Amino acid sequence: METGFGYFATHDALAPDALARLVEDRGHAALLFPEHTHIPTTGEPPRAEDGSLLPRKYWHTYDTLTTCMVAGAATTRLRVGTGICLVVQHHPIALAKTVASVDRLTGGRFEFGVGAGWNDPEIRDHGVDPRKRFGVMREHIAAMREIWTRDEAEYHGEHVSFGPLWSWPKPAQLPYPPILVGGTGPKVLDRVLSYGDVWLPNYGPGVLERIPELVSRAEEAGKRVRVYMLSVPADPRVIEECEKAGVSRVMAWLPSAGLARVEQAMDAFEKALDDVHGK
């Protein structure tokens, strides 16, 4: 089972290149960065999807694709990626080029975590109806796959349409970087099986119990789908449960802080990993 971390790379915390080198030196497989272009202000304290107060890191992050490139350039083996990219907030022609560019410039080490977002005002600011966001995401990904895999690509859908075009570079990974579908909603497995290579949920109640359904449906469809688990606590019991359930990679969140606090969190997660494997 692989290991890795998620990290809100903010301008006032440990830099992403320094963190990436640290994660690679410690022998972990991957480092993923989330995305929020902005957080709209409404006069009320911003709140997360569960109603809790939203941490300030949400509106202090670097651009996620730029961050991936910086982290990838600072390492040689580490896989870097988005965890997640809010694809409905990007035009697919531009996003396809950026993803392909990062993948080539990192030597094929990019992972494309995707999601439709939960913050309705943020989504609306990008000209997208939140009620249609999953349909928009599906079409954006389909359009990008056309661009990545065809010399002359075109796509015509309800939410995005363009005629024949040329766009290079193509991704280093064939046919394109792995698509990690985030979320834990009732229809997330449908999305994973439709256009994903990996399910990327946050650990929580009932998540592990859904893995057998995903595996069964993937086998019926002739697909191989992996599970990478985010938000895994530094708890040997949870890590062991993930391993037994068939999770391919466990990933913990690191604090948006200085080196000392980041290393403290990494130490705790690594100790839990060692406890599971009797080290």
Side-chain angles (χ1 to χ4, degrees):
M1 185 171 62
E2 293 181 345
T3 59
F5 296 99
Y7 181 65
F8 280 75
T10 65
H11 57 88
D12 52 0
L14 182 64
D17 53 345
L19 176 61
R21 286 191 292 268
L22 183 62
V23 172
E24 181 175 81
D25 289 345
R26 287 185 176 223
H28 298 282
L31 179 60
L32 302 183
F33 303 97
E35 172 178 50
H36 283 278
T37 58
H38 69 293
I39 297 297
T41 58
T42 62
E44 297 292 332
R47 295 189 179 274
E49 191 174 13
D50 63 4
S52 62
L53 287 176
L54 199 65
R56 68 183 295 277
K57 64 187 179 183
Y58 276 75
W59 58 94
H60 283 265
T61 53
Y62 287 115
D63 171 76
T64 186
L65 275 302
T66 305
T67 304
C68 287
M69 187 63 250
V70 168
T75 53
T76 59
R77 301 181 309 279
L78 186 72
R79 296 190 65 79
V80 298
T82 54
I84 55 176
C85 173
L86 299 171
V87 296
V88 305
Q89 299 182 10
H90 299 264
H91 194 284
I93 296 176
L95 186 56
K97 179 177 283 287
T98 304
V99 167
S101 298
V102 173
D103 191 48
R104 290 198 73 89
L105 291 169
T106 59
R109 291 184 285 127
F110 180 72
E111 298 182 349
F112 190 36
V114 302
W118 55 268
N119 189 325
D120 287 0
E122 179 183 0
I123 295 168
R124 289 193 192 97
D125 281 353
H126 287 277
V128 176
D129 183 344
R131 297 170 298 178
K132 299 180 179 180
R133 65 189 187 279
F134 291 112
V136 173
M137 179 167 69
R138 182 183 65 252
E139 288 194 7
H140 280 204
I141 292 172
M144 286 188 286
R145 291 197 303 189
E146 290 295 305
I147 294 171
W148 291 329
T149 59
R150 297 183 183 277
D151 288 350
E152 187 171 286
E154 67 177 295
Y155 184 85
H156 301 284
E158 177 184 354
H159 305 292
V160 59
S161 181
F162 51 82
L165 58 79
W166 296 332
S167 178
W168 271 266
K170 304 301 183 186
Q173 298 175 87
L174 299 177
Y176 39 76
I179 296 175
L180 288 49
V181 179
T184 57
K187 296 184 179 179
V188 66
L189 299 188
D190 296 340
R191 293 190 283 274
V192 175
L193 293 166
S194 175
Y195 49 76
D197 304 290
V198 176
W199 182 28
L200 183 70
N202 284 303
Y203 175 80
V207 174
L208 294 178
E209 287 75 13
R210 300 180 70 179
I211 293 177
E213 178 190 350
L214 175 63
V215 172
S216 175
R217 292 178 58 184
E219 289 177 349
E220 291 175 1
K223 293 189 64 173
R224 179 179 179 269
V225 177
R226 291 159 289 166
V227 179
Y228 296 166
M229 189 72 65
L230 272 169
S231 300
V232 176
D235 183 337
R237 178 188 57 83
V238 172
I239 294 170
E240 187 172 20
E241 286 179 352
C242 289
E243 190 167 34
K244 290 180 177 178
V247 173
S248 298
R249 181 193 294 164
V250 288
M251 308 187 74
W253 286 105
L254 295 172
S256 300
L259 177 61
R261 282 186 57 198
V262 168
E263 287 188 313
Q264 185 178 29
M266 293 179 73
D267 290 343
F269 189 60
E270 289 168 350
K271 182 181 184 303
L273 290 166
D274 289 344
D275 289 345
V276 171
H277 300 110
K279 294 183 180 180

